[in-house]
Coordinates of all heavy atoms in Angstrom, one line a residue:
M489 N -1.7 21.6 2.3 CA -0.9 22.0 3.5 C -0.5 20.8 4.3 O -1.4 20.0 4.6 CB -1.6 23.0 4.3 CG -0.9 23.4 5.6 SD 0.6 24.3 5.2 CE 1.5 24.3 6.7
F490 N 0.8 20.5 4.5 CA 1.2 19.4 5.3 C 2.2 19.7 6.4 O 2.8 20.8 6.4 CB 1.9 18.4 4.3 CG 1.0 17.8 3.3 CD1 0.8 18.4 2.1 CD2 0.4 16.6 3.6 CE1 -0.1 17.8 1.2 CE2 -0.5 16.0 2.7 CZ -0.7 16.6 1.5
Y491 N 2.2 18.8 7.4 CA 3.2 19.0 8.5 C 4.1 17.7 8.4 O 3.7 16.7 8.0 CB 2.5 19.1 9.8 CG 1.7 20.3 9.9 CD1 0.3 20.3 9.6 CD2 2.2 21.5 10.3 CE1 -0.5 21.5 9.7 CE2 1.5 22.7 10.5 CZ 0.2 22.7 10.1 OH -0.6 23.8 10.2
Y492 N 5.3 17.9 9.0 CA 6.3 16.9 9.0 C 6.8 16.7 10.4 O 6.6 17.6 11.3 CB 7.5 17.2 8.1 CG 7.0 17.7 6.7 CD1 7.0 19.1 6.5 CD2 6.5 16.9 5.7 CE1 6.5 19.6 5.3 CE2 6.0 17.4 4.5 CZ 6.0 18.8 4.3 OH 5.6 19.3 3.1
I508 N 12.8 17.4 2.8 CA 11.6 18.1 2.3 C 11.9 18.5 0.8 O 12.9 19.1 0.5 CB 11.3 19.3 3.1 CG1 11.0 18.9 4.5 CG2 10.1 20.0 2.5 CD1 10.6 20.0 5.5
V509 N 10.9 18.3 0.0 CA 11.0 18.6 -1.5 C 10.0 19.6 -1.9 O 8.8 19.5 -1.5 CB 10.8 17.3 -2.3 CG1 10.8 17.6 -3.8 CG2 11.9 16.3 -2.0
N510 N 10.5 20.7 -2.5 CA 9.6 21.8 -3.0 C 9.6 21.8 -4.5 O 10.0 22.8 -5.1 CB 10.0 23.1 -2.4 CG 9.0 24.2 -2.8 OD1 7.9 24.0 -3.2 ND2 9.4 25.5 -2.5
H511 N 9.3 20.7 -5.1 CA 9.1 20.7 -6.6 C 8.0 19.7 -7.0 O 7.6 18.8 -6.2 CB 10.4 20.3 -7.3 CG 11.0 19.0 -7.1 ND1 10.4 17.8 -7.5 CD2 12.0 18.6 -6.4 CE1 11.1 16.8 -7.1 NE2 12.1 17.2 -6.4
A512 N 7.4 20.0 -8.1 CA 6.2 19.2 -8.5 C 6.5 17.8 -9.0 O 7.6 17.6 -9.6 CB 5.5 20.0 -9.6
P513 N 5.6 16.9 -8.7 CA 5.8 15.5 -9.2 C 5.6 15.4 -10.7 O 6.0 14.4 -11.4 CB 4.7 14.7 -8.5 CG 3.7 15.7 -8.2 CD 4.4 17.0 -7.9
Y514 N 5.0 16.4 -11.4 CA 4.9 16.4 -12.8 C 4.9 17.9 -13.3 O 4.5 18.8 -12.6 CB 3.6 15.8 -13.3 CG 2.4 16.2 -12.6 CD1 1.6 17.3 -13.1 CD2 1.9 15.6 -11.4 CE1 0.4 17.7 -12.5 CE2 0.8 16.1 -10.7 CZ 0.1 17.1 -11.3 OH -1.1 17.6 -10.7
S517 N 2.1 20.9 -13.1 CA 1.7 21.5 -11.8 C 2.8 22.4 -11.3 O 2.7 23.0 -10.2 CB 1.5 20.4 -10.8 OG 2.6 19.6 -10.5
N520 N 2.2 26.2 -9.8 CA 1.7 26.5 -8.5 C 2.7 26.6 -7.4 O 2.4 26.9 -6.3 CB 0.7 25.3 -8.1 CG -0.5 25.3 -9.0 OD1 -1.1 26.3 -9.3 ND2 -0.8 24.1 -9.4
L521 N 4.0 26.4 -7.7 CA 5.0 26.4 -6.7 C 5.6 27.8 -6.5 O 5.5 28.7 -7.3 CB 6.2 25.5 -7.1 CG 5.9 24.0 -7.2 CD1 7.1 23.3 -7.8 CD2 5.5 23.5 -5.9
L524 N 9.1 29.0 -0.2 CA 8.4 28.9 1.1 C 9.3 29.0 2.3 O 10.5 28.8 2.2 CB 7.7 27.5 1.1 CG 6.6 27.3 0.1 CD1 6.1 25.8 0.1 CD2 5.4 28.2 0.2
L570 N 5.6 24.4 6.4 CA 6.0 25.3 5.3 C 4.9 26.4 5.2 O 3.7 26.1 5.3 CB 6.2 24.6 4.0 CG 7.1 23.4 4.0 CD1 7.1 22.8 2.6 CD2 8.5 23.8 4.4
L587 N -5.7 26.2 4.0 CA -4.6 26.5 3.1 C -4.3 25.3 2.2 O -3.3 25.3 1.5 CB -3.3 27.0 3.8 CG -3.5 28.1 4.7 CD1 -2.2 28.4 5.5 CD2 -3.9 29.4 4.0
E588 N -5.1 24.2 2.3 CA -4.8 23.0 1.5 C -4.6 23.3 0.0 O -3.7 22.7 -0.6 CB -6.0 22.0 1.7 CG -6.1 21.4 3.0 CD -5.1 20.2 3.2 OE1 -4.4 19.9 2.3 OE2 -5.0 19.7 4.3
K589 N -5.4 24.2 -0.5 CA -5.3 24.4 -2.0 C -4.1 25.3 -2.4 O -3.8 25.5 -3.5 CB -6.6 25.0 -2.5 CG -7.8 24.0 -2.4 CD -9.1 24.6 -2.9 CE -10.2 23.7 -2.8 NZ -11.5 24.2 -3.3
I590 N -3.6 26.0 -1.4 CA -2.5 26.9 -1.7 C -1.2 26.2 -2.1 O -0.6 26.5 -3.1 CB -2.2 27.8 -0.5 CG1 -3.3 28.8 -0.2 CG2 -0.9 28.6 -0.7 CD1 -3.1 29.7 1.0
F591 N -0.9 25.1 -1.3 CA 0.3 24.4 -1.6 C -0.1 23.1 -2.4 O -0.2 22.0 -1.9 CB 1.0 24.0 -0.3 CG 1.4 25.1 0.6 CD1 1.3 25.0 1.9 CD2 1.8 26.3 0.0 CE1 1.6 26.1 2.7 CE2 2.1 27.4 0.8 CZ 2.0 27.3 2.2
H592 N -0.3 23.3 -3.7 CA -0.6 22.2 -4.5 C 0.3 22.2 -5.7 O 0.6 23.2 -6.3 CB -2.1 22.4 -5.1 CG -2.5 21.3 -6.0 ND1 -2.9 20.1 -5.5 CD2 -2.5 21.2 -7.3 CE1 -3.2 19.3 -6.5 NE2 -3.0 20.0 -7.6
P593 N 1.0 21.1 -6.0 CA 0.7 19.7 -5.4 C 1.3 19.6 -4.0 O 2.1 20.4 -3.6 CB 1.4 18.8 -6.4 CG 2.6 19.7 -6.9 CD 2.0 21.1 -7.0
P594 N 1.0 18.5 -3.4 CA 1.6 18.2 -2.0 C 3.1 18.2 -2.0 O 3.7 17.7 -2.9 CB 1.0 16.9 -1.6 CG -0.2 16.7 -2.5 CD 0.2 17.4 -3.8
M595 N 3.7 18.8 -1.0 CA 5.1 18.8 -0.8 C 5.5 17.5 -0.1 O 5.1 17.3 1.0 CB 5.6 20.0 0.0 CG 5.1 21.3 -0.6 SD 5.6 21.5 -2.3 CE 4.6 22.9 -2.8
R596 N 6.2 16.7 -0.7 CA 6.6 15.4 -0.2 C 7.8 15.5 0.8 O 8.5 16.4 0.7 CB 6.9 14.4 -1.3 CG 5.9 14.2 -2.4 CD 4.5 14.1 -1.8 NE 4.3 13.1 -0.8 CZ 3.8 11.8 -1.1 NH1 3.6 11.5 -2.3 NH2 3.7 11.0 -0.1
S597 N 7.9 14.5 1.7 CA 9.0 14.5 2.6 C 9.4 13.0 2.8 O 8.7 12.1 2.6 CB 8.6 15.1 3.9 OG 7.7 14.2 4.6
Q611 N 8.2 7.7 3.8 CA 7.7 8.9 3.0 C 6.3 9.2 3.5 O 5.4 8.5 3.3 CB 7.7 8.5 1.5 CG 7.3 9.7 0.7 CD 7.3 9.5 -0.8 OE1 8.4 9.0 -1.3 NE2 6.2 9.7 -1.5
G612 N 6.2 10.3 4.2 CA 4.9 10.7 4.7 C 4.8 12.1 5.2 O 5.8 12.7 5.5
E613 N 3.6 12.5 5.4 CA 3.2 13.8 5.9 C 2.0 13.7 6.7 O 1.3 12.7 6.7 CB 3.0 14.8 4.7 CG 4.0 14.8 3.7 CD 3.8 13.8 2.6 OE1 2.7 13.2 2.5 OE2 4.8 13.4 1.9
I614 N 1.7 14.8 7.5 CA 0.4 14.9 8.2 C -0.4 15.9 7.5 O -0.1 17.1 7.5 CB 0.6 15.3 9.7 CG1 1.6 14.3 10.4 CG2 -0.7 15.4 10.4 CD1 1.9 14.7 11.8
P615 N -1.5 15.6 6.9 CA -2.4 16.6 6.2 C -3.0 17.5 7.2 O -3.4 17.1 8.3 CB -3.4 15.7 5.5 CG -2.9 14.3 5.4 CD -2.0 14.2 6.6
A616 N -3.0 18.8 6.9 CA -3.6 19.8 7.8 C -5.0 19.5 8.2 O -5.5 19.8 9.3 CB -3.5 21.2 7.2

Side-chain angles (χ1 to χ4, degrees):
M489 178 66 194
F490 292 89
Y491 295 95
Y492 318 99
I508 299 177
V509 176
N510 186 15
H511 62 72
Y514 51 93
S517 61
N520 294 315
L521 295 176
L524 297 172
L570 305 179
L587 304 175
E588 287 282 357
K589 295 182 180 180
I590 294 179
F591 304 143
H592 179 79
M595 305 307 168
R596 305 316 306 265
S597 73
Q611 182 177 309
E613 311 83 17
I614 304 176

